[in-house]
Amino acid sequence: MNANLLQTPIDYLKGVGPNRAELLRKEMGIHTYQDLINFFPNRYLDKTRFYKVKELLPSNAEVQIIGKIVGFKTVEQKRGKRLVADFIDDTGRMELVWFRGHKWIRENLKVNTPYVIFGKTNNYGGIFSMAHPDMELLEEHEKSLRTAMQPIYPSSEKLTNKGITNRVVNKLMQQLFIETRGRFFDTLSEDIKGNLSLISRADALFNVHFPKSQELLAKAQFRLKFEELFYIQMQLLIKNMMQKQKIKGFVFDKIGHYFDDFYKNHLPFELTGAQKRVIKEIRSDLGSGAQLNRLLQGDVGSGKTIVALMCMLIALDNDFQACLMAPTEILATQHFQGLKELCEGLDINIALLTGSVKTARRRVIHEQLEDGTLNILIGTHALLEDKVKFQNLGLAIIDEQHRFGVAQRAKLWHKNHLPPHILVMTATPIPRTLAMSLYGDLDVSVIDELPPGRQPIKTVHRYDSNRLKVFRFIKDEIQKGRQIYIVYPLIQESEKMDYKDLMDGYESIAREFPMPDYQISIVHGQMKPADKDYEMERFVKGETQIMVATTVIEVGVNVPNASVMIIESAERFGLSQLHQLRGRVGRGAEQSYCILMTSHKLSEEGKTRLQTMTATNDGFEIAEVDLKLRGPGDLMGTQQSGILNLKIADIVKDNQILKVARDFAKRVLSEDPELKMEKNKMIRYTYQQLAKHKNIWNYIS
Ligand code: ADP
Ligand code: MG
């Protein structure tokens, strides 16, 4: 059918007046015929059979019955009245009950006329009843386009109140199929359809809205989910291809003095196999002539920092500058100190730029960046300020990528006349399925191996009532020369209220661990940076044994001698945060522990989180559970989840289909990158339509 017809404004559909059109637009985002056809039911009621009243069982969930109303009565009850109708069929009698809308029901429902009713039944004192049943005259029921599986569309209270009930949506859908005669172009090639035995698009659309059977419904859903995921993958793969083709990158073809000297003379430890592999992958990208756009995933403690440094050294070897951006001041400072140490004896000028760097020092940094005497700049998002100009930035690295938005990543692109190579690193493992959808435009490297000699962290869950035992354990560990973190949740670093927990906690710890035997550091977001640094420094140097902190220490902080992480009110943290926090320990050779403290009040989800944490140290496994608990939107923040506004597929539940879709998208593009082949005509056309109406990357001309 004509694609233009599908672009017809919804106002023109018979049965949709200006009011309904407005509601559909505002409440459901339905502007055109196309939007309506793509408005999918989120569940179905099985109406394959009719029950007789005599057959009803107390265990029946939802049933469909044919019968008639023979009379009404109003029953007074404590709160308001209820309207009760006597309802009979040829086998028995039951009651229909309404708590609202009495007047309308009395005026509109017909007595002694056959109806089809549908709903949940209850049984009080041997009498079956149904509250607020779905009702339709038998006569109309027989006339309408009837299917066994009745679709239930997503709705809102507002829509229902204004009369756009499920039945109305159903009617509009029928009308749409009448006006378009149910003829819809296919959007996939015969090749793909044949390979996967997919039904046609027209059949799929019909059966998803008016399923003829369970089996056809399943086929329809598979076909539509596949299509949706397939085109998302096409978009991502094409974007990735475009970047490689069109976005020229600086060619770093030299491996020179800096890299060699460091590798031969300054490497503090043998690299793990995974680190070596990843460096190789990045090196080959850097020399390829295309811009590097790579995501480096590695669990906490897997050693991403040294990889970052070695990549920066390659940039330096090719006469470029490099920068590394971290999400917090503490982390940036720590990177700076660590990298400076590693670079000792290498004749590299490296500087730190954060919000608290003084103006005079800042000026020096700006000058040196512009005249090229500064080789490596480490910092927070202060790096993104317009005043920060590089002479020749060749590589930008972003640590803990999930803390930054896409916009910030984009801003780095413009720090040079040509976009620099971009490497983003994250310790928050992204489940493979999600990574495919969110970062399908990035190449991915994974460090899946921890440095040798690490012992798995032992994680336990303890109730607050066991606190004294936990304190004794802490004392023993301190006795052995270890250091301890105690972390308190702060939902909003800016909210004063939350500090009460932290301060109360600090005081009770200070009582339990008195000076001079014990020294305690405290760090939180409302402290001045200088004070934070001072406290952090004392802990790093081992002058204090206990660090009381909020989640500001969550990312990156590295104190190998710290071997115990206590997380207070652990039920208030999300899984990825718990995993990040736990990653602060287990960095040395000693056995490390993570103790999750909670009260006895735990939600089901809270319990699942704690069980997951005590069961595994594997960040990817944890990420998969997190994805299931929270869903993709929440997990990645709204900014990055836009692409996941799926109409019918579900990234988590349908990840099998996602994999198939990605494989097929890859197969199509590797055979026919510009979709010029005759057999891919429909794919090409559909992709162009998507590009036209949705602003995706228009690459195929
Ligand atoms: P993350 O990936 O969490 O950023 P880091 O780069 O901070 O991890 O490394 C964690 C710790 O492991 C650091 O103390 C680092 O010096 C050490 N490390 C990294 N790679 C190795 C290795 N190959 N062998 C031994 N220790 C290593
Ligand atoms: Mg790190």
Side-chain angles (χ1 to χ4, degrees):
M1 76 150 271
N2 191 323
N4 290 333
L5 178 52
L6 280 181
Q7 296 309 321
T8 311
I10 197 66
D11 312 55
Y12 293 93
L13 189 72
K14 198 175 152 223
V16 181
N19 290 338
R20 279 186 173 174
E22 192 59 23
L23 271 170
L24 288 173
R25 274 193 290 267
K26 278 223 177 99
E27 290 289 304
M28 291 314 189
I30 296 173
H31 297 258
T32 60
Y33 282 26
Q34 167 132 315
D35 294 335
L36 184 62
I37 196 89
N38 286 327
F39 182 59
F40 296 118
N42 49 14
R43 63 191 183 98
Y44 295 82
L45 298 177
D46 186 356
K47 295 197 169 174
T48 43
R49 76 168 277 196
F50 290 93
Y51 284 77
K52 295 285 184 187
V53 172
K54 168 176 98 189
E55 293 175 310
L56 294 179
L57 295 170
S59 59
N60 283 141
E62 288 172 314
V63 295
Q64 181 174 237
I65 307 165
I66 298 172
K68 46 193 168 181
I69 293 171
V70 289
F72 285 104
K73 65 180 178 234
T74 302
V75 180
E76 297 281 345
Q77 52 188 35
K78 257 182 235 144
R79 264 182 256 133
K81 295 174 190 161
R82 95 189 117 102
L83 178 66
V84 178
D86 265 332
F87 186 83
I88 60 164
D89 68 3
D90 51 4
T91 69
R93 173 187 166 272
M94 63 181 290
E95 291 180 344
L96 309 182
V97 182
W98 293 270
F99 302 96
R100 305 177 296 277
H102 298 176
K103 185 163 174 283
W104 188 90
I105 289 159
R106 286 211 117 139
E107 283 168 9
N108 287 281
L109 290 189
K110 297 183 177 136
V111 181
N112 287 319
T113 316
Y115 275 98
V116 176
I117 67 167
F118 183 86
K120 254 193 180 140
T121 54
N122 291 307
N123 188 309
Y124 299 111
I127 297 178
F128 281 95
S129 62
M130 193 183 284
H132 289 260
D134 264 358
M135 299 192 61
E136 189 176 21
L137 285 169
L138 180 60
E139 197 188 332
E140 276 182 24
H141 180 90
E142 282 166 348
K143 269 196 301 204
S144 61
L145 183 49
R146 191 46 51 187
T147 56
M149 308 291 301
Q150 190 187 311
I152 305 294
Y153 291 90
S155 184
S156 71
E157 201 169 336
K158 198 156 170 201
L159 277 184
T160 321
N161 286 345
K162 298 254 163 117
I164 303 194
T165 57
N166 199 60
R167 178 142 0 116
V168 169
V169 175
N170 204 261
K171 282 235 170 79
L172 296 179
M173 210 61 87
Q174 287 183 36
Q175 184 59 32
L176 184 83
F177 274 84
I178 292 168
E179 288 187 25
T180 58
R181 296 201 218 132
R183 286 198 247 158
F184 302 101
F185 269 146
D186 215 297
T187 48
L188 294 171
S189 62
E190 291 304 319
D191 223 23
I192 292 179
K193 281 195 316 192
N195 245 306
L196 290 168
S197 315
L198 299 177
I199 59 175
S200 74
R201 179 172 164 80
D203 283 350
L205 286 171
F206 184 81
N207 275 290
V208 87
H209 292 295
F210 308 101
K212 284 190 195 144
S213 68
Q214 282 279 13
E215 201 196 341
L216 273 170
L217 173 61
K219 283 194 171 153
Q221 286 175 323
F222 184 86
R223 148 86 215 211
L224 294 170
K225 285 175 179 182
F226 174 85
E227 177 178 332
E228 181 167 44
L229 295 169
F230 174 80
Y231 279 102
I232 288 177
Q233 291 306 321
M234 289 291 283
Q235 290 173 41
L236 291 168
L237 292 171
I238 286 175
K239 190 177 170 202
N240 180 295
M241 228 160 57
M242 273 170 70
Q243 272 170 2
K244 290 218 170 106
Q245 282 173 7
K246 292 211 182 138
I247 306 176
K248 282 234 184 69
F250 303 120
V251 182
F252 291 181
D253 51 4
K254 273 184 281 185
I255 296 298
H257 174 71
Y258 286 119
F259 189 93
D260 283 339
D261 185 24
F262 179 78
Y263 194 74
K264 288 197 189 106
N265 308 318
H266 299 273
L267 205 58
F269 36 67
E270 173 83 14
L271 295 177
T272 63
Q275 285 170 322
K276 284 186 194 157
R277 190 192 68 236
V278 163
I279 290 172
K280 230 191 223 159
E281 285 167 1
I282 297 171
R283 240 171 84 169
S284 103
D285 278 9
L286 290 173
S288 74
Q291 186 209 17
L292 169 106
N293 251 301
R294 194 171 271 278
L295 174 69
L296 173 58
Q297 288 198 61
D299 216 338
V300 275
S302 61
K304 294 184 292 296
T305 315
I306 194 110
V307 172
L309 173 63
M310 294 179 72
C311 297
M312 293 197 281
L313 294 180
I314 299 177
L316 267 50
D317 276 337
N318 289 273
D319 301 320
F320 284 92
Q321 293 165 304
C323 71
L324 170 61
M325 184 165 80
T328 64
E329 184 142 359
I330 290 183
L331 189 51
T333 307
Q334 197 160 44
H335 271 316
F336 173 66
Q337 284 161 352
L339 292 175
K340 221 174 131 129
E341 216 169 280
L342 284 169
C343 292
E344 221 153 276
L346 278 182
D347 188 29
I348 289 175
N349 186 6
I350 170 169
L352 174 70
L353 181 65
T354 65
S356 53
V357 168
K358 298 261 161 31
T359 320
R361 171 79 188 129
R362 219 173 252 261
R363 205 170 295 136
V364 176
I365 291 177
H366 290 167
E367 274 170 25
Q368 294 192 341
L369 272 181
E370 289 192 53
D371 68 22
T373 47
L374 188 60
N375 306 110
I376 295 179
L377 183 64
I378 315 281
T380 55
H381 40 257
L383 292 189
L384 297 174
E385 284 170 19
D386 292 335
K387 274 176 287 181
V388 180
K389 294 195 188 82
F390 292 79
Q391 189 200 46
N392 206 0
L393 179 66
L395 170 67
I397 302 182
I398 309 176
D399 195 16
E400 304 303 343
Q401 133 84 9
H402 65 292
R403 294 294 190 95
F404 294 102
V406 175
Q408 283 162 316
R409 173 155 51 115
K411 222 167 167 189
L412 276 175
W413 280 49
H414 304 293
K415 283 284 170 194
N416 207 350
H417 59 283
L418 270 181
H421 294 295
I422 307 255
L423 178 68
V424 298
M425 309 197 293
T426 181
T428 305
I430 301 161
R432 257 187 64 72
T433 47
L434 200 55
M436 270 193 254
S437 307
L438 282 174
Y439 298 106
D441 62 319
L442 297 181
D443 298 308
V444 180
S445 287
V446 182
I447 305 185
D448 50 6
E449 181 185 351
L450 291 180
R454 297 273 173 79
Q455 298 185 47
I457 301 160
K458 285 191 180 147
T459 304
V460 293
H461 170 208
R462 293 283 178 264
Y463 290 109
D464 291 340
S465 44
N466 280 323
R467 187 169 297 279
L468 285 182
K469 267 199 191 146
V470 173
F471 282 157
R472 223 172 299 137
F473 175 75
I474 298 179
K475 281 181 186 158
D476 288 347
E477 284 295 302
I478 293 177
Q479 193 71 41
K480 289 189 217 157
R482 305 283 104 77
Q483 288 168 285
I484 320 289
Y485 290 105
I486 304 180
V487 176
Y488 288 83
L490 275 195
I491 307 309
Q492 290 250 296
E493 281 280 344
S494 59
E495 273 180 21
K496 287 238 164 45
M497 261 309 288
D498 282 336
Y499 281 90
K500 195 173 170 314
D501 284 353
L502 177 74
M503 286 313 173
D504 289 353
Y506 176 73
E507 274 162 30
S508 78
I509 304 273
R511 267 197 307 277
E512 192 66 29
F513 298 88
M515 293 206 281
D517 291 354
Y518 299 97
Q519 302 290 330
I520 306 174
S521 287
I522 180 164
V523 169
H524 60 74
Q526 289 201 330
M527 286 164 70
K528 289 210 189 78
D531 296 340
K532 256 194 267 184
D533 288 349
Y534 173 76
E535 290 286 324
M536 205 56 224
E537 194 66 1
R538 292 210 304 152
F539 189 66
V540 172
K541 285 192 192 137
E543 291 169 12
T544 59
Q545 298 95 0
I546 301 177
M547 162 64 75
V548 175
T550 63
T551 47
V552 291
I553 61 139
E554 179 190 338
V555 278
V557 172
N558 189 23
V559 181
N561 190 49
S563 65
V564 182
M565 167 62 66
I566 309 222
I567 304 176
E568 294 285 346
S569 305
E571 73 274 21
R572 288 171 62 190
F573 291 92
L575 262 180
S576 74
Q577 236 182 347
L578 289 173
H579 182 62
Q580 284 283 326
L581 285 169
R582 177 167 63 182
R584 297 310 104 215
V585 297
R587 306 192 142 230
E590 304 304 328
Q591 175 63 56
S592 290
Y593 303 89
C594 174
I595 304 177
L596 306 169
M597 304 292 299
T598 74
S599 68
H600 281 275
K601 262 194 269 164
L602 288 175
S603 66
E604 277 311 306
E605 204 192 300
K607 275 185 210 154
T608 308
R609 287 199 297 261
L610 294 167
Q611 277 158 8
T612 307
M613 286 297 292
T614 53
T616 181
N617 273 305
D618 181 336
F620 282 91
E621 222 172 284
I622 290 170
E624 294 284 354
V625 176
D626 206 21
L627 179 61
K628 283 190 185 119
L629 288 179
R630 292 201 291 160
D634 231 23
L635 202 58
M636 304 317 298
T638 45
Q639 214 177 7
Q640 299 183 331
S641 67
I643 197 155
L644 296 176
N645 275 332
L646 301 181
K647 292 204 169 65
I648 187 162
D650 177 319
I651 286 282
V652 181
K653 292 189 196 123
D654 299 322
N655 85 60
Q656 249 358 74
I657 307 178
L658 173 67
K659 281 182 196 144
V660 179
R662 185 165 177 87
D663 284 348
F664 271 85
K666 271 189 183 157
R667 212 189 285 182
V668 169
L669 286 172
S670 69
E671 189 186 39
D672 183 14
E674 292 183 55
L675 302 179
K676 281 187 170 149
M677 292 166 73
E678 179 61 22
K679 68 173 180 181
N680 291 327
K681 203 172 69 186
M682 290 321 296
I683 295 177
R684 174 195 175 89
Y685 177 77
T686 308
Y687 189 86
Q688 281 171 334
Q689 288 296 312
L690 284 170
K692 204 152 97 194
H693 297 293
K694 290 211 185 122
N695 242 348
I696 60 173
W697 307 276
N698 202 351
Y699 143 87
I700 293 146
S701 51

